């Protein structure tokens, strides 16, 4: 037998063996291919080796070398294919359906946003519509019109976030000359981050005749020392009702009904006599933290709108009266969900936020 035909036989084996390996569709078919071609007992490679045993002495180095090459190549090809088939199957498009799924993270509203939406809904049922006002305010709306005169301690620059504008410097030098009973030119006066949402009361009354029945919800800013129940930025819900013949009893009823609507019937609301420049009489409002009757948390202030405020916006205090209240939104949310620290609301810790 010539070396040419032996080499041809090896080549032919290589072609058929590789084609069979490559076209095997699954592990079982590949195993059949292995037995047929590479099987140690009756495999075709074995047969080929037997045939090659007949090569002459001169042919042997060439034929033997080629045989080993082919054996290695087919074996390597088989192993590669075997690894590929034992990998998890991939559907068209590369999606590996055998891998555990990746959970789709669903977004949700911040607990305070949820609370605010619920507040608006509850107050809407009581007939209050929603009004809005700016967070950067002038002194007229934050103080003056609310019956907080220039020498009032609440206006101390250390207790407020005044904006560092040229206007602020101007205010410092002309404070004593300011006409404190007239509305300062809105564009020229100093500006501050509002310290209360009561500002919106003024804005609404300035541009609407009575009767008024509004709430306003938003951020307020105070340079308070931060602790578990205080923050230098928090949210308030302001309420204002102006009409003929309003009473303190109505105010207390609205606040009680509101607190129960949001917190449930086991909450107790308590009113303490207090003072605010823009209400007379004034009360501070507490809610029970639990059922022990020993722990109370202040949730805001309220009262009958001071006649000076009504005059400042051009209302006639002899014709209309009203009540107003300002509630801390974080504290309601804390009570409802037993949040022990107000700082959770702004820490952006997902372990907290995911619980709502
Ligand atoms: N503005 C007050 C504060 O931030 C809360 C308040 C008290 C609002 C009495 C009112 C009110 O509308 O009538 O502490």
């Amino acid at each position: 037998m010539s070396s040419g035909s032996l080499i041809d036989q090896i080549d032919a084996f290589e072609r058929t063996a590789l084609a069979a390996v490559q076209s095997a569709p699954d592990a079982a078919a590949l195993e059949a291919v292995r037995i047929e071609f590479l099987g140690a007992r009756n495999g075709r490679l074995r047969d080929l080796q037997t045939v090659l045993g007949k090569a002459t002495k001169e042919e042997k180095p060439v034929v033997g070398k080629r045989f080993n090459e082919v054996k290695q190549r087919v074996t390597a090809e088989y192993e590669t294919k075997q690894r590929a088939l034992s990998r998890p199957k991939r559907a068209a498009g590369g999606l590996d359906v055998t891998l555990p799924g990746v959970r789709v993270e669903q977004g949700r509203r911040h607990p305070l946003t949820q609370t605010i939406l619920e507040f608006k809904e509850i107050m809407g049922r009581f007939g209050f519509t929603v009004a809005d006002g700016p967070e950067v305010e002038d002194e007229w709306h934050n103080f003056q019109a609310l019956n907080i005169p220039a020498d009032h301690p609440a206006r101390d620059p250390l207790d407020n976030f005044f904006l560092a504008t040229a206007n602020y410097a101007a205010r410092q030098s002309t404070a004593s000359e300011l006409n404190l009973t007239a509305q300062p030119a809105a564009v020229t006066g100093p500006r501050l981050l509002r310290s209360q949402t009561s500002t919106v009361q003024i804005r609404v009354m300035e541009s609407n005749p009575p009767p008024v029945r509004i709430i306003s919800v938003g951020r307020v800013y105070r340079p308070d020392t931060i602790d578990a129940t205080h923050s230098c930025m928090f949210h308030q819900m302001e309420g204002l009702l102006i009409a003929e013949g309003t009473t303190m009893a109505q105010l207390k009823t609205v606040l009680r009904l509101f607190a129960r609507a949001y917190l449930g019937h086991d909450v107790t609301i308590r009113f303490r006599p207090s003072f605010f420049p823009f209400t007379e009489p004034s009360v501070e409002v507490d809610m029970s933290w639990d059922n022990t009757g020993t722990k109370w948390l202040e949730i805001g202030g309220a009262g009958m709108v001071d006649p000076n405020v009504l005059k400042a916006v051009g209302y006639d205090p002899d014709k209309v009266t009203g009540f107003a209240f300002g509630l801390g939104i974080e504290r309601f949310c804390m009570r409802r969900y037993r949040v022990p620290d107000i700082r959770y609301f702004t820490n952006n810790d997902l372990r907290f936020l995911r619980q709502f």
Side-chain angles (χ1 to χ4, degrees), residues 61-62 106 121 213 297 303 307 326 343:
V62 187
Q106 229 188 350
E121 195 270 324
R213 202 190 317 193
L297 194 62
R343 288 166 284 202

Side-chain angles (χ1 to χ4, degrees), residues 143 153-162 192-196 220-227 230-234:
F143 301 122
R155 290 176 76 146
D156 191 324
L158 289 175
D159 290 331
N160 293 282
F161 287 114
F162 276 95
L192 73 160
L193 296 177
R194 67 179 177 193
S195 60
Q196 49 185 347
V220 298
Y221 303 84
R222 293 176 195 178
D224 275 346
T225 304
I226 297 171
D227 62 21
H230 294 86
S231 168
C232 50
M233 184 282 293
F234 60 98

Side-chain angles (χ1 to χ4, degrees), residues 300-314:
M304 302 305 291
V305 178
D306 193 288
N308 281 347
V309 174
L310 298 175
K311 279 185 214 154
V313 297

Side-chain angles (χ1 to χ4, degrees), residues 195-198 201 222 236 238-239 276 278-279 283 300-303 324-326:
S195 60
Q196 49 185 347
T197 44
S198 304
Q201 292 185 26
R222 293 176 195 178
Q236 283 188 331
E238 192 78 13
F276 296 103
F278 32 93
T279 43
V283 286
F325 54 87

Side-chain angles (χ1 to χ4, degrees), residues 286-303:
D286 300 332
M287 67 181 164
S288 57
W289 181 253
D290 47 33
N291 288 328
T292 63
T294 53
K295 197 174 169 196
W296 297 86
L297 194 62
E298 187 189 327
I299 45 168

Side-chain angles (χ1 to χ4, degrees), residues 223-273:
D224 275 346
T225 304
I226 297 171
D227 62 21
T229 51
H230 294 86
S231 168
C232 50
M233 184 282 293
F234 60 98
H235 295 73
Q236 283 188 331
M237 177 171 77
E238 192 78 13
L240 175 70
L241 188 146
I242 306 280
E244 284 175 28
T246 53
T247 67
M248 189 87 183
Q250 291 170 346
L251 165 64
K252 292 170 77 175
T253 303
V254 165
L255 289 177
R256 276 220 169 84
L257 289 175
F258 169 77
R260 287 197 187 148
Y262 181 72
L263 293 172
H265 280 267
D266 69 329
V267 72
T268 310
I269 296 295
R270 148 178 116 169
F271 299 91
R272 280 180 291 116

